[in-house]
Amino acid sequence: MSNRIEHLGVINAIKGNCIHVAISQSSACAECKVAGHCNASESKDKIIDIITDKANEYSIGESVKVSTTNGVGMMATIYAYVLPLVIMMAVLFIVKAITRSDGWAAMSALFSLLPYYLCVYILRNKISSQVYFEVEKINN
């Protein structure tokens, strides 16, 4: 079992030392032969920005493999899903206990994410040094 998360992608832009790679993120059934006739199939294109000192070695349209470790993937999941959920639920229960109002609790829970995402934005450089991707050429 590999301890890396890998996706194949195509470089669609290079700006300085930043490579923009388009990957196709598909569900398990998107590769199925009858997926075109099924509403359950789903495929989404994502753009990943990869900072590398070797950006000049790549070219637009080139196929590459984008990878990261499972630990980095888990950290990204925590930042994107777990922490916001914990904050929302904590605020929801605390405000509900204090005010006994479902409306105030719900609104407070939703607005509690504004400071969270503001902090994420302010700390984006620090977070991007922890949540990183690597790129390598595919040998055809």
Side-chain angles (χ1 to χ4, degrees), residues 13-20 48-52 55:
I14 300 172
K15 296 178 182 169
N17 64 347
C18 182
I19 301 174
H20 303 282
I48 297 179
D49 296 337
I50 302 166
I51 307 297
T52 178

Side-chain angles (χ1 to χ4, degrees), residues 65-117:
K65 179 170 57 172
V66 177
S67 64
T68 192
T69 64
N70 284 337
V72 170
M74 184 62 71
M75 189 179 316
T77 301
I78 289 170
Y79 287 144
Y81 301 110
V82 176
L83 286 177
L85 178 64
V86 169
I87 291 168
M88 280 183 60
M89 296 305 293
V91 169
L92 180 75
F93 289 121
I94 291 168
V95 173
K96 172 68 174 166
I98 292 170
T99 66
R100 302 277 188 230
S101 168
D102 291 339
W104 279 108
M107 291 303 291
S108 299
L110 288 174
F111 283 109
S112 70
L113 293 181
L114 291 176
Y116 173 75
Y117 285 115

